[in-house]
Structures are given as structure tokens and as C-alpha cells.
PDB file of all heavy atoms in Angstrom:
ATOM      1  N   LEU A   7      54.616  42.210  13.860  1.00 98.00           N
ATOM      2  CA  LEU A   7      53.381  41.776  14.606  1.00 98.00           C
ATOM      3  C   LEU A   7      53.785  41.003  15.765  1.00 98.00           C
ATOM      4  O   LEU A   7      53.193  41.153  16.920  1.00 98.00           O
ATOM      5  CB  LEU A   7      52.493  41.099  13.667  1.00 98.00           C
ATOM      6  CG  LEU A   7      51.057  40.705  14.199  1.00 98.00           C
ATOM      7  CD1 LEU A   7      50.215  42.019  14.563  1.00 98.00           C
ATOM      8  CD2 LEU A   7      50.285  39.879  13.007  1.00 98.00           C
ATOM      9  N   ARG A   8      54.739  40.163  15.630  1.00 98.00           N
ATOM     10  CA  ARG A   8      55.221  39.418  16.783  1.00 98.00           C
ATOM     11  C   ARG A   8      55.686  40.281  17.849  1.00 98.00           C
ATOM     12  O   ARG A   8      55.436  40.057  19.102  1.00 98.00           O
ATOM     13  CB  ARG A   8      56.273  38.362  16.304  1.00 98.00           C
ATOM     14  CG  ARG A   8      56.763  37.351  17.375  1.00 98.00           C
ATOM     15  CD  ARG A   8      57.739  36.401  16.753  1.00 98.00           C
ATOM     16  NE  ARG A   8      57.179  35.656  15.570  1.00 98.00           N
ATOM     17  CZ  ARG A   8      57.969  35.364  14.556  1.00 98.00           C
ATOM     18  NH1 ARG A   8      59.240  35.739  14.455  1.00 98.00           N
ATOM     19  NH2 ARG A   8      57.436  34.689  13.480  1.00 98.00           N
ATOM     20  N   CYS A   9      56.555  41.194  17.600  1.00 98.00           N
ATOM     21  CA  CYS A   9      57.058  42.247  18.605  1.00 98.00           C
ATOM     22  C   CYS A   9      55.926  42.963  19.281  1.00 98.00           C
ATOM     23  O   CYS A   9      55.909  43.054  20.455  1.00 98.00           O
ATOM     24  CB  CYS A   9      58.009  43.190  17.929  1.00 98.00           C
ATOM     25  SG  CYS A   9      59.583  42.548  17.402  1.00 98.00           S
ATOM     26  N   LEU A  10      54.822  43.313  18.441  1.00 98.00           N
ATOM     27  CA  LEU A  10      53.783  44.058  19.118  1.00 98.00           C
ATOM     28  C   LEU A  10      53.094  43.266  20.012  1.00 98.00           C
ATOM     29  O   LEU A  10      52.599  43.754  21.102  1.00 98.00           O
ATOM     30  CB  LEU A  10      52.932  44.533  17.815  1.00 98.00           C
ATOM     31  CG  LEU A  10      51.768  45.478  18.251  1.00 98.00           C
ATOM     32  CD1 LEU A  10      52.167  46.738  18.829  1.00 98.00           C
ATOM     33  CD2 LEU A  10      50.943  45.725  16.937  1.00 98.00           C
ATOM     34  N   ARG A  11      52.852  41.966  19.720  1.00 98.00           N
ATOM     35  CA  ARG A  11      52.112  41.042  20.614  1.00 98.00           C
ATOM     36  C   ARG A  11      52.845  40.783  21.969  1.00 98.00           C
ATOM     37  O   ARG A  11      52.316  40.193  22.792  1.00 98.00           O
ATOM     38  CB  ARG A  11      51.780  39.868  19.875  1.00 98.00           C
ATOM     39  CG  ARG A  11      50.674  40.060  18.821  1.00 98.00           C
ATOM     40  CD  ARG A  11      50.477  38.894  17.886  1.00 98.00           C
ATOM     41  NE  ARG A  11      49.296  38.972  16.989  1.00 98.00           N
ATOM     42  CZ  ARG A  11      49.056  38.146  15.984  1.00 98.00           C
ATOM     43  NH1 ARG A  11      49.833  37.195  15.766  1.00 98.00           N
ATOM     44  NH2 ARG A  11      48.033  38.460  15.269  1.00 98.00           N
ATOM     45  N   GLN A  12      54.169  41.132  22.077  1.00 98.00           N
ATOM     46  CA  GLN A  12      54.881  40.861  23.206  1.00 98.00           C
ATOM     47  C   GLN A  12      55.230  42.157  23.884  1.00 98.00           C
ATOM     48  O   GLN A  12      56.023  42.143  24.954  1.00 98.00           O
ATOM     49  CB  GLN A  12      56.066  40.097  22.961  1.00 98.00           C
ATOM     50  CG  GLN A  12      55.955  38.722  22.340  1.00 98.00           C
ATOM     51  CD  GLN A  12      57.179  37.876  22.191  1.00 98.00           C
ATOM     52  OE1 GLN A  12      58.252  38.160  22.858  1.00 98.00           O
ATOM     53  NE2 GLN A  12      57.010  36.762  21.551  1.00 98.00           N
ATOM     54  N   ALA A  13      54.726  43.315  23.421  1.00 98.00           N
ATOM     55  CA  ALA A  13      55.092  44.535  24.025  1.00 98.00           C
ATOM     56  C   ALA A  13      54.542  44.814  25.452  1.00 98.00           C
ATOM     57  O   ALA A  13      53.387  44.460  25.739  1.00 98.00           O
ATOM     58  CB  ALA A  13      54.675  45.704  23.109  1.00 98.00           C
ATOM     59  N   ASP A  14      55.279  45.475  26.267  1.00 98.00           N
ATOM     60  CA  ASP A  14      54.784  46.156  27.508  1.00 98.00           C
ATOM     61  C   ASP A  14      54.347  47.431  27.349  1.00 98.00           C
ATOM     62  O   ASP A  14      53.512  47.921  28.047  1.00 98.00           O
ATOM     63  CB  ASP A  14      55.933  45.989  28.582  1.00 98.00           C
ATOM     64  CG  ASP A  14      56.433  44.694  28.901  1.00 98.00           C
ATOM     65  OD1 ASP A  14      55.599  43.739  29.044  1.00 98.00           O
ATOM     66  OD2 ASP A  14      57.672  44.399  28.779  1.00 98.00           O
ATOM     67  N   VAL A  15      55.052  48.090  26.422  1.00 98.00           N
ATOM     68  CA  VAL A  15      54.750  49.618  26.043  1.00 98.00           C
ATOM     69  C   VAL A  15      54.626  49.728  24.490  1.00 98.00           C
ATOM     70  O   VAL A  15      55.667  49.207  23.902  1.00 98.00           O
ATOM     71  CB  VAL A  15      55.772  50.651  26.697  1.00 98.00           C
ATOM     72  CG1 VAL A  15      55.364  52.034  26.482  1.00 98.00           C
ATOM     73  CG2 VAL A  15      55.840  50.287  28.216  1.00 98.00           C
ATOM     74  N   VAL A  16      53.698  50.487  24.048  1.00 98.00           N
ATOM     75  CA  VAL A  16      53.560  50.721  22.623  1.00 98.00           C
ATOM     76  C   VAL A  16      53.590  52.257  22.446  1.00 98.00           C
ATOM     77  O   VAL A  16      52.643  52.844  22.965  1.00 98.00           O
ATOM     78  CB  VAL A  16      52.486  50.060  21.908  1.00 98.00           C
ATOM     79  CG1 VAL A  16      52.424  50.511  20.509  1.00 98.00           C
ATOM     80  CG2 VAL A  16      52.337  48.694  22.141  1.00 98.00           C
ATOM     81  N   VAL A  17      54.595  52.783  21.835  1.00 98.00           N
ATOM     82  CA  VAL A  17      54.651  54.215  21.581  1.00 98.00           C
ATOM     83  C   VAL A  17      54.321  54.358  20.085  1.00 98.00           C
ATOM     84  O   VAL A  17      55.088  54.081  19.252  1.00 98.00           O
ATOM     85  CB  VAL A  17      55.967  54.936  21.924  1.00 98.00           C
ATOM     86  CG1 VAL A  17      55.977  56.447  21.678  1.00 98.00           C
ATOM     87  CG2 VAL A  17      56.333  54.574  23.363  1.00 98.00           C
ATOM     88  N   TYR A  18      53.158  55.077  19.659  1.00 97.00           N
ATOM     89  CA  TYR A  18      52.743  54.942  18.318  1.00 97.00           C
ATOM     90  C   TYR A  18      52.519  56.282  17.729  1.00 97.00           C
ATOM     91  O   TYR A  18      52.296  57.344  18.405  1.00 97.00           O
ATOM     92  CB  TYR A  18      51.465  54.027  18.323  1.00 97.00           C
ATOM     93  CG  TYR A  18      50.151  54.680  19.004  1.00 97.00           C
ATOM     94  CD1 TYR A  18      49.245  55.374  18.258  1.00 97.00           C
ATOM     95  CD2 TYR A  18      49.987  54.527  20.337  1.00 97.00           C
ATOM     96  CE1 TYR A  18      48.163  55.826  18.927  1.00 97.00           C
ATOM     97  CE2 TYR A  18      48.937  55.010  21.066  1.00 97.00           C
ATOM     98  CZ  TYR A  18      47.977  55.731  20.352  1.00 97.00           C
ATOM     99  OH  TYR A  18      46.907  56.147  20.993  1.00 97.00           O
ATOM    100  N   ASP A  19      52.511  56.336  16.323  1.00 95.00           N
ATOM    101  CA  ASP A  19      52.369  57.444  15.589  1.00 95.00           C
ATOM    102  C   ASP A  19      50.895  57.837  15.182  1.00 95.00           C
ATOM    103  O   ASP A  19      50.105  56.887  15.218  1.00 95.00           O
ATOM    104  CB  ASP A  19      53.329  57.556  14.446  1.00 95.00           C
ATOM    105  CG  ASP A  19      54.705  57.864  14.790  1.00 95.00           C
ATOM    106  OD1 ASP A  19      54.956  58.319  15.839  1.00 95.00           O
ATOM    107  OD2 ASP A  19      55.592  57.651  13.922  1.00 95.00           O
ATOM    108  N   ARG A  20      50.783  58.893  14.523  1.00 92.00           N
ATOM    109  CA  ARG A  20      49.394  59.296  14.159  1.00 92.00           C
ATOM    110  C   ARG A  20      48.635  58.400  13.099  1.00 92.00           C
ATOM    111  O   ARG A  20      47.484  58.194  13.086  1.00 92.00           O
ATOM    112  CB  ARG A  20      49.455  60.700  13.641  1.00 92.00           C
ATOM    113  CG  ARG A  20      48.157  61.313  13.103  1.00 92.00           C
ATOM    114  CD  ARG A  20      48.203  62.817  12.724  1.00 92.00           C
ATOM    115  NE  ARG A  20      49.175  63.058  11.564  1.00 92.00           N
ATOM    116  CZ  ARG A  20      48.840  63.203  10.366  1.00 92.00           C
ATOM    117  NH1 ARG A  20      47.535  63.114  10.000  1.00 92.00           N
ATOM    118  NH2 ARG A  20      49.732  63.382   9.341  1.00 92.00           N
ATOM    119  N   LEU A  21      49.522  57.823  12.179  1.00 91.00           N
ATOM    120  CA  LEU A  21      48.984  57.154  11.122  1.00 91.00           C
ATOM    121  C   LEU A  21      48.863  55.682  11.365  1.00 91.00           C
ATOM    122  O   LEU A  21      48.537  54.968  10.459  1.00 91.00           O
ATOM    123  CB  LEU A  21      49.793  57.456   9.834  1.00 91.00           C
ATOM    124  CG  LEU A  21      50.014  58.825   9.360  1.00 91.00           C
ATOM    125  CD1 LEU A  21      50.712  59.099   8.175  1.00 91.00           C
ATOM    126  CD2 LEU A  21      48.447  59.519   9.076  1.00 91.00           C
ATOM    127  N   VAL A  22      49.069  55.200  12.583  1.00 96.00           N
ATOM    128  CA  VAL A  22      49.053  53.736  12.857  1.00 96.00           C
ATOM    129  C   VAL A  22      47.505  53.351  13.115  1.00 96.00           C
ATOM    130  O   VAL A  22      46.777  54.031  13.864  1.00 96.00           O
ATOM    131  CB  VAL A  22      49.856  53.467  14.198  1.00 96.00           C
ATOM    132  CG1 VAL A  22      49.582  52.051  14.624  1.00 96.00           C
ATOM    133  CG2 VAL A  22      51.393  53.706  13.915  1.00 96.00           C
ATOM    134  N   ASP A  23      47.143  52.308  12.397  1.00 96.00           N
ATOM    135  CA  ASP A  23      45.807  51.922  12.450  1.00 96.00           C
ATOM    136  C   ASP A  23      45.405  51.369  13.888  1.00 96.00           C
ATOM    137  O   ASP A  23      46.139  50.641  14.379  1.00 96.00           O
ATOM    138  CB  ASP A  23      45.604  50.796  11.422  1.00 96.00           C
ATOM    139  CG  ASP A  23      44.120  50.547  11.099  1.00 96.00           C
ATOM    140  OD1 ASP A  23      43.459  49.885  12.001  1.00 96.00           O
ATOM    141  OD2 ASP A  23      43.505  50.876  10.064  1.00 96.00           O
ATOM    142  N   ALA A  24      44.189  51.757  14.299  1.00 96.00           N
ATOM    143  CA  ALA A  24      43.871  51.278  15.593  1.00 96.00           C
ATOM    144  C   ALA A  24      43.750  49.745  15.685  1.00 96.00           C
ATOM    145  O   ALA A  24      43.822  49.181  16.861  1.00 96.00           O
ATOM    146  CB  ALA A  24      42.377  51.861  15.975  1.00 96.00           C
ATOM    147  N   ARG A  25      43.559  49.019  14.689  1.00 97.00           N
ATOM    148  CA  ARG A  25      43.447  47.712  14.745  1.00 97.00           C
ATOM    149  C   ARG A  25      44.768  47.008  14.956  1.00 97.00           C
ATOM    150  O   ARG A  25      44.855  45.906  15.570  1.00 97.00           O
ATOM    151  CB  ARG A  25      42.849  47.114  13.285  1.00 97.00           C
ATOM    152  CG  ARG A  25      41.403  47.383  13.134  1.00 97.00           C
ATOM    153  CD  ARG A  25      40.948  46.975  11.708  1.00 97.00           C
ATOM    154  NE  ARG A  25      41.530  48.052  10.837  1.00 97.00           N
ATOM    155  CZ  ARG A  25      41.219  48.001   9.535  1.00 97.00           C
ATOM    156  NH1 ARG A  25      40.470  47.047   8.869  1.00 97.00           N
ATOM    157  NH2 ARG A  25      41.689  48.972   8.771  1.00 97.00           N
ATOM    158  N   LEU A  26      45.865  47.649  14.736  1.00 97.00           N
ATOM    159  CA  LEU A  26      47.191  47.212  15.104  1.00 97.00           C
ATOM    160  C   LEU A  26      47.530  47.346  16.621  1.00 97.00           C
ATOM    161  O   LEU A  26      48.037  46.515  17.241  1.00 97.00           O
ATOM    162  CB  LEU A  26      48.285  47.904  14.376  1.00 97.00           C
ATOM    163  CG  LEU A  26      48.612  47.458  12.874  1.00 97.00           C
ATOM    164  CD1 LEU A  26      49.698  48.280  12.289  1.00 97.00           C
ATOM    165  CD2 LEU A  26      48.960  45.978  12.865  1.00 97.00           C
ATOM    166  N   LEU A  27      47.017  48.498  17.094  1.00 97.00           N
ATOM    167  CA  LEU A  27      47.106  48.786  18.500  1.00 97.00           C
ATOM    168  C   LEU A  27      46.418  47.695  19.285  1.00 97.00           C
ATOM    169  O   LEU A  27      46.813  47.210  20.503  1.00 97.00           O
ATOM    170  CB  LEU A  27      46.597  50.134  18.958  1.00 97.00           C
ATOM    171  CG  LEU A  27      47.275  51.368  18.378  1.00 97.00           C
ATOM    172  CD1 LEU A  27      46.579  52.535  18.753  1.00 97.00           C
ATOM    173  CD2 LEU A  27      48.716  51.268  18.780  1.00 97.00           C
ATOM    174  N   ALA A  28      45.272  47.083  18.759  1.00 97.00           N
ATOM    175  CA  ALA A  28      44.537  46.010  19.485  1.00 97.00           C
ATOM    176  C   ALA A  28      45.353  44.717  19.488  1.00 97.00           C
ATOM    177  O   ALA A  28      44.891  43.896  20.315  1.00 97.00           O
ATOM    178  CB  ALA A  28      43.202  45.823  18.715  1.00 97.00           C
ATOM    179  N   GLU A  29      46.445  44.667  18.733  1.00 98.00           N
ATOM    180  CA  GLU A  29      47.127  43.432  18.705  1.00 98.00           C
ATOM    181  C   GLU A  29      48.203  43.343  19.926  1.00 98.00           C
ATOM    182  O   GLU A  29      48.618  42.357  20.217  1.00 98.00           O
ATOM    183  CB  GLU A  29      48.022  43.328  17.436  1.00 98.00           C
ATOM    184  CG  GLU A  29      47.200  42.982  16.219  1.00 98.00           C
ATOM    185  CD  GLU A  29      46.536  41.697  16.170  1.00 98.00           C
ATOM    186  OE1 GLU A  29      47.016  40.781  16.757  1.00 98.00           O
ATOM    187  OE2 GLU A  29      45.570  41.508  15.445  1.00 98.00           O
ATOM    188  N   ALA A  30      48.490  44.529  20.530  1.00 98.00           N
ATOM    189  CA  ALA A  30      49.297  44.415  21.698  1.00 98.00           C
ATOM    190  C   ALA A  30      48.538  43.941  22.944  1.00 98.00           C
ATOM    191  O   ALA A  30      47.240  43.811  22.948  1.00 98.00           O
ATOM    192  CB  ALA A  30      49.605  45.876  22.105  1.00 98.00           C
ATOM    193  N   PRO A  31      49.191  43.263  23.866  1.00 98.00           N
ATOM    194  CA  PRO A  31      48.462  42.661  25.098  1.00 98.00           C
ATOM    195  C   PRO A  31      47.650  43.756  25.746  1.00 98.00           C
ATOM    196  O   PRO A  31      47.887  44.966  25.760  1.00 98.00           O
ATOM    197  CB  PRO A  31      49.689  42.223  26.027  1.00 98.00           C
ATOM    198  CG  PRO A  31      50.941  42.157  25.138  1.00 98.00           C
ATOM    199  CD  PRO A  31      50.658  43.111  23.977  1.00 98.00           C
ATOM    200  N   PRO A  32      46.494  43.222  26.289  1.00 98.00           N
ATOM    201  CA  PRO A  32      45.503  44.254  26.898  1.00 98.00           C
ATOM    202  C   PRO A  32      46.170  45.126  27.917  1.00 98.00           C
ATOM    203  O   PRO A  32      45.838  46.369  28.187  1.00 98.00           O
ATOM    204  CB  PRO A  32      44.477  43.294  27.480  1.00 98.00           C
ATOM    205  CG  PRO A  32      44.514  42.037  26.727  1.00 98.00           C
ATOM    206  CD  PRO A  32      45.955  41.872  26.229  1.00 98.00           C
ATOM    207  N   ALA A  33      47.124  44.536  28.703  1.00 98.00           N
ATOM    208  CA  ALA A  33      47.839  45.262  29.742  1.00 98.00           C
ATOM    209  C   ALA A  33      48.867  46.198  29.339  1.00 98.00           C
ATOM    210  O   ALA A  33      49.387  46.953  30.160  1.00 98.00           O
ATOM    211  CB  ALA A  33      48.373  44.293  30.792  1.00 98.00           C
ATOM    212  N   ALA A  34      49.212  46.168  28.144  1.00 98.00           N
ATOM    213  CA  ALA A  34      50.304  47.047  27.507  1.00 98.00           C
ATOM    214  C   ALA A  34      49.877  48.454  27.673  1.00 98.00           C
ATOM    215  O   ALA A  34      48.824  48.862  27.331  1.00 98.00           O
ATOM    216  CB  ALA A  34      50.693  46.662  26.091  1.00 98.00           C
ATOM    217  N   ARG A  35      50.917  49.375  27.918  1.00 98.00           N
ATOM    218  CA  ARG A  35      50.623  50.702  27.908  1.00 98.00           C
ATOM    219  C   ARG A  35      50.752  51.288  26.582  1.00 98.00           C
ATOM    220  O   ARG A  35      51.698  50.972  25.986  1.00 98.00           O
ATOM    221  CB  ARG A  35      51.639  51.400  28.949  1.00 98.00           C
ATOM    222  CG  ARG A  35      51.493  52.947  28.998  1.00 98.00           C
ATOM    223  CD  ARG A  35      52.552  53.564  29.829  1.00 98.00           C
ATOM    224  NE  ARG A  35      52.608  55.031  29.773  1.00 98.00           N
ATOM    225  CZ  ARG A  35      53.487  55.827  30.239  1.00 98.00           C
ATOM    226  NH1 ARG A  35      54.602  55.312  30.850  1.00 98.00           N
ATOM    227  NH2 ARG A  35      53.277  57.109  30.164  1.00 98.00           N
ATOM    228  N   ARG A  36      49.792  52.072  26.179  1.00 98.00           N
ATOM    229  CA  ARG A  36      49.764  52.718  24.869  1.00 98.00           C
ATOM    230  C   ARG A  36      49.950  54.150  25.008  1.00 98.00           C
ATOM    231  O   ARG A  36      49.142  54.742  25.635  1.00 98.00           O
ATOM    232  CB  ARG A  36      48.519  52.363  24.084  1.00 98.00           C
ATOM    233  CG  ARG A  36      48.343  50.781  23.778  1.00 98.00           C
ATOM    234  CD  ARG A  36      46.946  50.406  23.633  1.00 98.00           C
ATOM    235  NE  ARG A  36      46.732  49.080  23.213  1.00 98.00           N
ATOM    236  CZ  ARG A  36      46.754  47.952  23.913  1.00 98.00           C
ATOM    237  NH1 ARG A  36      47.025  48.145  25.225  1.00 98.00           N
ATOM    238  NH2 ARG A  36      46.701  46.810  23.379  1.00 98.00           N
ATOM    239  N   VAL A  37      51.021  54.673  24.354  1.00 97.00           N
ATOM    240  CA  VAL A  37      51.304  56.119  24.436  1.00 97.00           C
ATOM    241  C   VAL A  37      51.288  56.755  23.023  1.00 97.00           C
ATOM    242  O   VAL A  37      51.996  56.309  22.107  1.00 97.00           O
ATOM    243  CB  VAL A  37      52.759  56.305  25.097  1.00 97.00           C
ATOM    244  CG1 VAL A  37      53.111  57.861  25.166  1.00 97.00           C
ATOM    245  CG2 VAL A  37      52.900  55.723  26.322  1.00 97.00           C
ATOM    246  N   TYR A  38      50.500  57.742  22.830  1.00 96.00           N
ATOM    247  CA  TYR A  38      50.288  58.374  21.520  1.00 96.00           C
ATOM    248  C   TYR A  38      51.449  59.376  21.459  1.00 96.00           C
ATOM    249  O   TYR A  38      51.750  60.281  22.334  1.00 96.00           O
ATOM    250  CB  TYR A  38      49.025  59.181  21.501  1.00 96.00           C
ATOM    251  CG  TYR A  38      48.810  59.888  20.205  1.00 96.00           C
ATOM    252  CD1 TYR A  38      48.823  59.208  18.984  1.00 96.00           C
ATOM    253  CD2 TYR A  38      48.667  61.255  20.206  1.00 96.00           C
ATOM    254  CE1 TYR A  38      48.641  59.928  17.817  1.00 96.00           C
ATOM    255  CE2 TYR A  38      48.454  61.951  19.001  1.00 96.00           C
ATOM    256  CZ  TYR A  38      48.478  61.350  17.714  1.00 96.00           C
ATOM    257  OH  TYR A  38      48.396  61.981  16.624  1.00 96.00           O
TER     258      TYR A  38
END
């Protein structure tokens, strides 16, 4: 969770809960 909250880019899989993606900084790029 600490790593996720400091991410610039999050590359995530199909089974990752959307609530976890919300933990990344608002400006972080999210790539499915």
C-alpha cells in the first residue's frame, strides 16, 4: 500500500479491486 501511494504509474491486472487503484495519487497514470 505504501508503494502504491507513492506511484507515478500503476500497471494493474484484471482482478485488482478498484478501491486499491484509488489509493494511488490522483495524478498517477493507471494502465490496464
Side-chain angles (χ1 to χ4, degrees):
L7 188 59
R8 189 180 300 143
C9 291
L10 185 58
R11 288 172 173 169
Q12 296 191 13
D14 298 311
V15 181
V16 181
V17 183
Y18 64 99
D19 282 347
R20 177 173 66 97
L21 300 180
V22 171
D23 194 287
R25 287 169 289 183
L26 280 181
L27 296 178
E29 293 290 338
R35 179 184 175 192
R36 293 158 174 81
V37 181
Y38 179 65

